[in-house]
């Protein structure tokens, strides 16, 4: 079966399951099933978020709701999950802007390099308070995604088969990125050859030397075994991996007020949980990678980072060209709020 047919069959299975009331067994004939998709593998940050969501929903609904978690590639690739979510075939998903910005370019705002605060607490405050987030969520809703939460999975590190300390070093390096055009432009601005490919193919791509490098948070570099087939892990702290908990506006509108309130109560708890979880997991996994002795870890100096910052600034124009006035306003407010929060918290 080709990919289109597989997608079609999956859609059909979903529609039939939804139409049949989604019961999960003899004792569960009135049980509601919420299908929850995410982009990563078992043990990842998105999986921890999904499992905690499942635990809290099942507990607080007194078992009336059962949450079924689908991980990356279990029922399609991440682009399929976006389509399933926009069509309301999944109740909830975790999707990151590298995926959603292919149809909602404003979501790329988070992937402008050297924009977001580097401290986790500052970032959490920014997501919770910035008017830019409210504006972004409204735009998503107009595009069939209701965003309930934005969270963080750690800064994006590079792995490569050569040391990279300057944009000059990126010349001739084919680096795998996610599909979002802004991410592609960011690495083109560093002189690299950005090569989008599905997440699940990156390990083989590196092993077979179809690509020379890739970019992802440390926890992912460990669990996807990228560090086993690369020689250098480079921490430039140019941007972070942001993800969103989304549902579809139609699905949400059909939930009764009590169920909506239950979910809205759970979300801030999940946000606190995952900010702590990702910090610990990224640290633990950096330690595992270091202990393996497989890869040299390079932390760029402030001087080296400054050269990348300068090369990244023209890419803001690429973002602005891809969005309308509202997108420009979102970037302006997010930047302003980020600077204000960093300044306010700097002595804490
Ligand atoms: O690089 C990617 O495509 C993926 N990376 C992570 C850490 N999560 C999901 C995403 O699809």
């Amino acid at each position: 079966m080709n990919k289109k047919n597989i997608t079609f069959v999956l859609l059909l299975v979903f529609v039939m399951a939804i139409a049949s009331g989604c019961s999960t067994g003899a004792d569960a004939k009135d049980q509601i099933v919420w299908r929850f998709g995410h982009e990563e593998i078992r043990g990842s940050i998105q999986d921890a978020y999904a499992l905690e969501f499942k635990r809290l929903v099942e507990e607080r609904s007194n078992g009336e709701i059962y949450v079924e978690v689908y991980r990356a590639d279990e029922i399609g690739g991440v682009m399929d999950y976006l389509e399933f979510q926009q069509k309301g075939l999944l109740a909830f998903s975790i999707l990151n802007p590298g995926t959603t910005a292919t149809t909602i370019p404003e979501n790329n705002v988070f992937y402008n390099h050297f924009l977001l605060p580097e401290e986790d607490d500052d970032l959490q405050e920014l997501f919770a308070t910035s008017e830019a987030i409210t504006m972004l969520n409204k735009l998503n809703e107009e595009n069939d995604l209701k965003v309930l939460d934005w969270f963080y999975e750690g800064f994006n590190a590079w792995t490569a088969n050569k040391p990279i300390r300057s944009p000059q070093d990126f010349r001739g390096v084919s680096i795998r990125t996610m599909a979002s055009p802004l991410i592609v432009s960011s690495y083109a601005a560093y002189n690299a050859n950005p090569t989008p490919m599905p997440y699940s193919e990156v390990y083989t791509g590196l092993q077979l030397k179809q690509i020379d490098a890739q970019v992802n948070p440390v926890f992912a570099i460990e669990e996807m075994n990228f560090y086993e087939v690369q020689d250098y892990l480079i921490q430039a702290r140019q941007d972070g991996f942001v993800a969103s908990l989304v549902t579809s506006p139609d699905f949400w509108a059909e939930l009764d007020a009590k169920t909506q309130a239950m979910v809205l109560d759970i979300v801030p708890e999940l946000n606190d949980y995952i900010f702590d979880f990702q910090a610990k997991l990224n640290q633990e996994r950096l330690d595992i990678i270091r202990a393996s002795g497989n890869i040299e870890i390079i932390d760029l100096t402030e001087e080296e980072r400054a050269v990348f910052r300068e090369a990244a600034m023209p890419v803001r124009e690429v973002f602005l060209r891809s969005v309308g006035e509202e997108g420009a306003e979102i970037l302006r407010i997010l930047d302003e709020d980020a600077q204000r929060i960093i300044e306010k918290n700097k002595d804490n």
Side-chain angles (χ1 to χ4, degrees), residues 39-40 96 176 178 199 216-217 219-220 241:
E39 304 170 318
E40 295 171 357
N96 90 90
R176 180 272 172 179
M178 289 189 285
Y199 192 38
N216 255 302
F219 84 90
F241 193 101

Side-chain angles (χ1 to χ4, degrees), residues 93-157:
S93 302
I94 299 173
L95 297 170
N96 90 90
T99 307
T100 60
T102 52
T103 60
I104 309 166
E106 289 80 1
N107 286 346
N108 265 325
V109 70
F110 299 116
Y111 289 157
N112 281 293
H113 289 191
F114 299 97
L115 173 72
L116 295 181
E118 286 173 45
E119 296 295 329
D120 291 357
D121 289 350
D122 292 352
L123 201 50
Q124 196 175 12
E125 183 177 340
L126 181 71
F127 289 165
T129 59
S130 178
E131 178 60 22
I133 302 292
T134 314
M135 291 168 72
L136 196 59
N137 291 354
K138 193 168 148 276
L139 270 172
N140 275 267
E141 192 143 357
E142 287 160 12
N143 286 281
D144 297 322
L145 286 181
K146 181 175 176 61
V147 182
L148 296 168
D149 195 22
W150 290 102
F151 60 96
Y152 188 58
E153 301 193 26
F155 64 84
N156 283 314

Side-chain angles (χ1 to χ4, degrees), residues 31-287:
Q31 197 174 36
I32 295 160
V33 175
W34 282 355
R35 294 189 162 75
F36 188 122
H38 72 72
E39 304 170 318
E40 295 171 357
I41 63 171
R42 199 178 285 276
S44 64
I45 291 173
Q46 292 189 9
D47 201 43
Y49 192 110
L51 293 178
E52 187 63 1
F53 177 92
K54 173 182 167 68
R55 188 182 73 78
L56 292 171
V57 165
E58 291 176 0
E59 183 185 286
R60 304 224 178 137
S61 70
N62 298 316
E64 271 177 33
I65 301 170
Y66 174 79
V67 179
E68 206 158 76
V69 175
Y70 294 98
R71 299 175 179 86
D73 296 312
E74 284 181 353
I75 47 165
V78 295
M79 297 313 278
D80 298 321
Y81 283 20
L82 172 61
E83 188 187 334
F84 293 162
Q85 188 59 69
Q86 283 175 314
K87 290 193 166 130
L89 298 170
L90 286 165
F92 296 88
S93 302
I94 299 173
L95 297 170
N96 90 90
T99 307
T100 60
T102 52
T103 60
I104 309 166
E106 289 80 1
N107 286 346
N108 265 325
V109 70
F110 299 116
Y111 289 157
N112 281 293
H113 289 191
F114 299 97
L115 173 72
L116 295 181
E118 286 173 45
E119 296 295 329
D120 291 357
D121 289 350
D122 292 352
L123 201 50
Q124 196 175 12
E125 183 177 340
L126 181 71
F127 289 165
T129 59
S130 178
E131 178 60 22
I133 302 292
T134 314
M135 291 168 72
L136 196 59
N137 291 354
K138 193 168 148 276
L139 270 172
N140 275 267
E141 192 143 357
E142 287 160 12
N143 286 281
D144 297 322
L145 286 181
K146 181 175 176 61
V147 182
L148 296 168
D149 195 22
W150 290 102
F151 60 96
Y152 188 58
E153 301 193 26
F155 64 84
N156 283 314
W158 306 323
T159 62
N161 58 12
K162 58 178 276 204
I164 291 176
R165 294 185 181 275
S166 74
Q168 201 52 32
D169 295 334
F170 258 132
R171 227 170 258 291
V173 172
S174 82
I175 183 168
R176 180 272 172 179
T177 66
M178 289 189 285
S180 140
L182 186 79
I183 303 179
V184 169
S185 300
S186 299
Y187 287 92
Y190 293 157
N191 301 319
N193 303 330
T195 314
M197 69 166 59
Y199 192 38
S200 54
E201 292 171 21
V202 179
Y203 179 83
T204 313
L206 293 170
Q207 197 180 34
L208 300 180
K209 307 215 181 306
Q210 291 160 338
I211 43 171
D212 309 310
Q214 67 80 46
V215 49
N216 255 302
V218 168
F219 84 90
I221 292 170
E222 195 275 336
E223 72 187 12
M224 300 298 282
N225 300 320
F226 300 153
Y227 73 104
E228 291 178 356
V229 284
Q230 292 268 263
D231 298 324
Y232 298 90
L233 189 156
I234 302 113
Q235 308 193 95
R237 295 180 170 268
Q238 74 292 338
D239 71 341
F241 193 101
V242 173
S244 54
L245 171 68
V246 294
T247 183
S248 69
D250 289 348
F251 171 82
W252 184 255
E254 279 167 20
L255 296 179
D256 59 38
K258 195 169 134 243
T259 310
Q260 285 185 356
M262 176 191 73
V263 175
L264 293 177
D265 264 5
I266 285 173
V267 165
E269 291 177 43
L270 279 168
N271 190 271
D272 280 345
Y273 166 78
I274 212 66
F275 263 85
D276 282 354
F277 183 90
Q278 65 80 24
K280 285 192 199 109
L281 191 72
N282 276 306
Q283 188 53 56
E284 270 168 36
R285 293 200 173 168
L286 185 61
D287 294 343

